[in-house]
Amino acid sequence: EGQRQTQQEFHDQKLQPLLEEVRQNKRTVLFVDAAHFVMGAFLGTLWCFVRQLLPSSSGRKRYNVLGAYDPIRHEAVTLTNDTIVNQETFCALLDKIASVYAASGLPIMLALDNARYQKCQSVFDKAEALGIELLYLPAYSPNLNLIERLWRFVKKQVLYSTHYDKFAAFKESID
């Protein structure tokens, strides 16, 4: 109950006023998060009398997508890799966001979760140097981060009930 109240207060007192500024064309707010897509079998619905074996990749091949979703433009700025997401990749995303939105001249704010690689001194320094404000969402509140809906959409449209023989096809489909 306390967590729900904290989220509601954050939504009403911080997030909604910021989004009103976005509607008035006074600022840009982007929702940031990483998704780690693992190549494998993702079942949708399967019911049958005869047992079915589905091919799946061996090992653990991951495709990381670090993204910032713009709910007004309905666009995402992304960085991808198949290694790791850390503070260096996050700083690279900050550079990319700054270059994509430089022409707007509007202040940029990122709404993001509390992942450790996003809450470190190098990220704070880079964001400050680029003039990007960071707004950390309350703990355990993916419902407030709009990019989570994008990740769910990608999984549903691209991964569920689909088998990929090659990692390159898997990555291409996500992209």
Side-chain angles (χ1 to χ4, degrees):
E1 180 64 33
Q3 191 175 40
R4 195 169 99 189
Q5 183 178 352
T6 300
Q7 290 178 9
Q8 188 65 50
E9 288 172 4
F10 182 88
H11 175 270
D12 296 343
Q13 296 170 11
K14 291 189 179 180
L15 203 51
Q16 281 304 317
L18 287 170
L19 294 176
E20 186 56 38
E21 288 183 22
V22 170
R23 287 183 204 97
Q24 295 171 6
N25 204 30
K26 293 181 179 177
R27 83 166 46 247
T28 298
V29 174
L30 304 171
F31 293 84
V32 178
D33 194 21
H36 311 281
F37 301 103
V38 179
M39 186 174 163
F42 295 91
L43 296 180
T45 303
L46 177 66
W47 188 93
C48 60
F49 287 111
V50 178
R51 184 175 179 182
Q52 299 288 318
L53 298 177
L54 298 175
S56 183
S57 63
S58 61
R60 183 177 156 108
K61 294 184 179 181
R62 246 165 71 144
Y63 189 54
N64 302 306
V65 182
L66 180 59
Y69 176 67
D70 184 334
I72 301 304
R73 292 183 178 180
H74 300 289
E75 296 176 350
V77 177
T78 60
L79 283 179
T80 61
N81 68 41
D82 54 9
T83 54
I84 192 168
V85 173
N86 57 22
Q87 62 191 15
E88 288 84 21
T89 53
F90 192 81
C91 287
L93 179 68
L94 291 176
D95 282 328
K96 191 169 182 180
I97 290 168
S99 69
V100 168
Y101 287 90
S104 77
L106 297 174
I108 300 169
M109 178 173 278
L110 304 182
L112 53 157
D113 64 18
N114 293 281
R116 285 181 24 189
Y117 61 83
Q118 297 175 158
K119 286 189 94 169
C120 59
Q121 195 61 48
S122 64
V123 169
F124 299 149
D125 294 343
K126 176 61 97 171
E128 184 179 351
L130 296 171
I132 296 175
E133 298 173 71
L134 304 175
L135 175 66
Y136 292 95
L137 300 170
Y140 307 109
S141 40
N143 53 312
L144 294 176
N145 196 342
L146 295 180
I147 199 167
E148 295 288 354
R149 293 172 177 96
L150 176 62
W151 300 147
R152 185 172 55 233
F153 175 80
V154 170
K155 287 177 183 176
K156 186 176 181 181
Q157 294 296 311
V158 176
L159 300 180
Y160 293 167
S161 302
T162 305
H163 169 70
Y164 295 97
D165 288 329
K166 305 278 187 232
F167 190 59
F170 175 74
K171 292 191 315 184
E172 183 181 326
S173 183
I174 292 169
D175 288 343

